[in-house]
DNA sequence: TGTACATCAGTGAACGCGCGTTCACTGATGTAC
DNA sequence: TGTACATCAGTGAACGCGCGTTCACTGATGTAC
């Protein structure tokens, strides 16, 4: 099985109180997502991985959907972080766009959850919506300094998101293996800037 | 309930042989998808809608996944058709792009299935893959007459697909209600053309 | 410092459910002679 | 034209499964006095 330490998994010496079950649950749920089991991520399976009874999860999450929303929120925070850390030596459409795409490729399952059909009603989870908007804000307006919501502001975001989606779905080659995405962004940055 | 005629639903006078159960199944599955029940589309529920035993489906589809692949194939055929019918009075990025987006908005559930995580292994379904490639071919190369697979060929496709995805996810306003998508495409067509 | 008690994070058993799929079958349809 | 028969599209019952959630509970932790 797994090592008992380091990931919140049950151990013979594990104290009665887990310590940070919410985080351990999110962590395990993401592991399931990354294994491709988009559909098999659920409360029971997640709790099982953590080594805890399914019921224990309800001390920290109101429902399965609540857990997933929590995971997605974490994802948007990380997506924003990745874009913030992107270097400033290139046009932001390129640097942030590549960070966005890299995030999607490295965390396909999480990316799918964040934009998938499961969490359509974002309004039910204010923290999720806030995290998402904060991440999006870094990509909107990346094309020129246009007002948010304007055509040129949304254009860069749509291009990057489209590239990420196609790559995640295996319809376009991933950067690293193939420079296609990067070339597209570089060219677009040049043409859309003016 | 529903009218017994016109949609393959069970009727008192329905003959023993359904006539076109495969089509009726696809049709019912799409109805479920459009009601937002991305996750609730399955063999049993679909058969129930058609008014047929769950087992009957296995005369025509090898599995649930096979049914979904069949539905998605139909979807790609229709997506291609919609783009083919788009007028030639505007740049193809605009006309075909709007047709693509319009399809996605009108058939959200189907669009999600076509690009979702359920049917990742497209290679298992040659007909599905073929239909998808045929549809994509109409969007690739829409930006300039570049070689398929080249950066500028994929760029337009990515932009359109990204817009469609954001709109379906409620992150950008749908055309009709808001001219944003159209404006983006018109501007991009101008800038990316040269 | 010790004790009573409220709080809180766990537990296992159970609920009802719907799923995908297989089985042995039935009865209508089409075809060969 | 009639009949025997193979084929084919349905049927209901059953399989085992895992799910989300609720229940009554247990036992550790922290706090007030």
């Amino acid at each position: 099985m797994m090592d008992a330490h380091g990931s919140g998994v049950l151990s013979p010496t594990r104290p009665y109180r887990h310590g940070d079950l919410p985080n351990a649950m999110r962590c395990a749920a993401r592991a399931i997502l990354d294994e491709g089991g988009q559909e098999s991520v659920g409360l029971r399976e997640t709790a099982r991985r953590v080594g805890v009874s399914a019921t224990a999860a309800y001390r920290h999450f109101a429902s399965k959907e609540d857990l997933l929303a929590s995971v997605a929120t974490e994802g948007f925070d990380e997506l924003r972080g990745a874009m913030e850390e992107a270097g400033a030596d290139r046009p932001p459409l390129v640097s942030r766009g590549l960070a966005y795409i890299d995030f999607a490729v490295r965390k396909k399952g999480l990316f799918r959850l964040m934009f998938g059909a499961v969490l359509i009603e974002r309004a039910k989870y204010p923290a999720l919506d806030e995290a998402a908007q904060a991440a999006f804000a870094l990509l909107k307006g990346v094309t020129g300094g246009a007002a948010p919501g304007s055509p040129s502001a949304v254009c860069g975001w749509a291009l990057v998101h489209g590239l990420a989606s196609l790559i995640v779905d295996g319809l376009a080659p991933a950067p690293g293996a193939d420079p296609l995405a990067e070339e597209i962004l570089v060219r677009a940055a040049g043409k859309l800037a003016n």
Side-chain angles (χ1 to χ4, degrees), chain A:
Chain A
M1 295 297 285
M2 301 178 66
D3 179 19
H5 303 286
S7 60
V9 171
L10 179 69
S11 88
T13 61
R14 202 198 76 194
Y16 172 64
R17 300 217 174 177
H18 182 281
D20 198 358
L21 188 50
N23 253 324
M25 289 287 291
R26 275 188 288 270
C27 182
R30 291 178 58 159
I32 299 172
L33 279 173
D34 281 345
E35 288 163 23
Q38 165 93 281
E39 317 225 273
S40 64
V41 56
L43 267 180
R44 288 188 99 113
E45 172 63 17
T46 305
R48 203 174 295 132
R49 294 229 181 179
V50 175
V52 116
S53 74
T55 327
Y58 285 90
R59 292 284 153 209
H60 307 279
F61 301 99
S63 65
K64 172 195 175 183
E65 198 188 42
D66 194 39
L67 166 63
L68 293 180
S70 171
V71 170
T73 303
E74 204 174 62
F76 278 116
D77 285 340
E78 288 175 21
L79 174 58
R80 179 178 48 76
M83 286 192 286
E84 281 172 348
E85 284 171 16
D89 52 332
R90 322 175 77 175
L93 177 62
V94 177
S95 59
R96 291 188 189 164
L98 284 176
Y100 191 102
I101 290 169
D102 184 60
F103 174 90
V105 169
R106 279 185 297 110
K107 305 172 184 178
K108 288 191 176 68
L110 181 56
F111 184 78
R112 280 213 169 88
L113 172 68
M114 289 157 64
F115 291 98
V118 188
L119 294 171
I120 298 177
E121 313 159 58
R122 257 186 216 90
K124 284 171 61 181
Y125 299 95
L128 169 61
D129 197 57
E130 203 175 312
Q133 295 304 332
F136 298 155
L138 290 181
L139 256 189
K140 289 188 202 172
V142 114
T143 326
S150 72
S152 61
V154 175
C155 183
W157 179 25
L159 176 60
V160 168
H161 184 70
L163 275 172
S165 300
L166 292 181
I167 292 169
V168 165
D169 284 345
L171 297 170
D178 188 301
L180 179 65
E182 183 162 351
E183 275 185 46
I184 288 175
L185 290 180
V186 169
R187 289 177 182 227
K191 293 187 176 178
L192 296 174
N194 42 315

